[in-house]
Amino acid sequence: MTTEPSPSLEIERKYDVDAGAPLPDWAALPGVARVGEPEPRDLDARYLDTADGRLAAARSALRRRTGGPDEGWHLKQATPEGKLETHWPLGEGDGDAGDVSTTSTTADADAPTLPAAVIEGVAGLADPPFVVLARIRNARVAYALYNAAGGVVAEFVDDHVTALDVRRGISSSWREWELELGPAAPAEAPQRAALFAAADALVTAAGGRVAASESKLGRALGV
């Protein structure tokens, strides 16, 4: 059974990069003493909304994702401070008809059954039925960025994304980077801004740029 949800606030920066872009030296960021070992993750997510897009209208997104340390259901809501994410881990019997290995668009369009806890969690935004908007697969390599005391200042991920806009039947692929603040990140806004400004400079030097789309889902749907 799906357990109680856990909320968290994501403060992050996303970058568009070319396939051959070299990784920046993230140890050059202020407050970062060393970069952790690479951690590969294979992620597979289906994004859902009502047919009339009520979640999108509320600047929210709902997905069911397998793979990685936080696999499960995620509700992301845009706030002035960052993205408020509510996470429900996968539970026994929480199946997904499209989890089998396939490239069939029929399987991609099969909406997973929402557990009661997730339906309750999105009730203030939208009610069933939900349809699948997109399926996004991501070959991710994650790196923890540590301060001198061993605290995680941020997590950097190098993503190779393959997406399917289910309703239009349009596939796309791209590479992007993401830098998300961790528990040892600066607490004050000016210091956080300085950290992101330094990150922007490192990415620019590597040939990247701040992402044109604020989310993978938005890019997959062309919005």
Side-chain angles (χ1 to χ4, degrees), residues 48-86:
L48 300 92
D49 201 344
T50 60
D52 57 356
R54 294 186 182 182
L55 289 177
R59 300 189 67 201
S60 302
L62 176 66
R63 74 182 178 205
R64 181 191 185 277
R65 190 171 73 184
T66 58
D70 66 341
E71 70 174 6
W73 291 88
H74 305 88
L75 174 65
K76 293 196 174 190
Q77 299 170 271
T79 76
E81 295 78 24
K83 291 182 181 178
L84 177 63
E85 178 177 288
T86 306

Side-chain angles (χ1 to χ4, degrees), residues 154-166:
E155 181 183 62
F156 164 69
V157 297
D158 182 10
D159 289 342
H160 290 78
V161 183
T162 302
L164 173 67
D165 179 335
V166 169

Side-chain angles (χ1 to χ4, degrees), residues 39-44 65-72 74 87 140:
E39 181 185 331
R41 301 171 184 170
D42 289 322
L43 311 177
D44 187 351
R65 190 171 73 184
T66 58
D70 66 341
E71 70 174 6
H74 305 88
H87 171 235
R140 166 173 289 181

Side-chain angles (χ1 to χ4, degrees), residues 9 24 35 54 84-85 107 131 202:
L9 183 66
V35 179
R54 294 186 182 182
L84 177 63
E85 178 177 288
V131 297
L202 289 174

Side-chain angles (χ1 to χ4, degrees), residues 103-209:
T103 57
S104 166
T105 55
T106 300
D108 289 326
D110 288 339
T113 301
L114 274 71
V118 178
I119 293 175
E120 181 180 350
V122 302
L125 303 170
D127 297 315
F130 292 93
V131 297
V132 175
L133 302 179
R135 183 173 189 176
I136 298 179
R137 298 178 176 92
N138 184 9
R140 166 173 289 181
V141 181
Y143 302 80
L145 310 184
Y146 297 99
N147 62 19
V152 177
V153 176
E155 181 183 62
F156 164 69
V157 297
D158 182 10
D159 289 342
H160 290 78
V161 183
T162 302
L164 173 67
D165 179 335
V166 169
R167 293 184 294 183
R168 295 188 298 161
I170 296 176
S171 297
S172 56
S173 60
W174 66 89
R175 184 186 183 196
E176 70 178 44
W177 292 341
E178 192 174 288
L179 188 70
E180 181 179 340
L181 298 186
E188 301 299 324
Q191 287 73 32
R192 289 183 172 182
L195 189 151
F196 279 125
D200 292 351
L202 289 174
V203 172
T204 299
R209 55 227 168 260

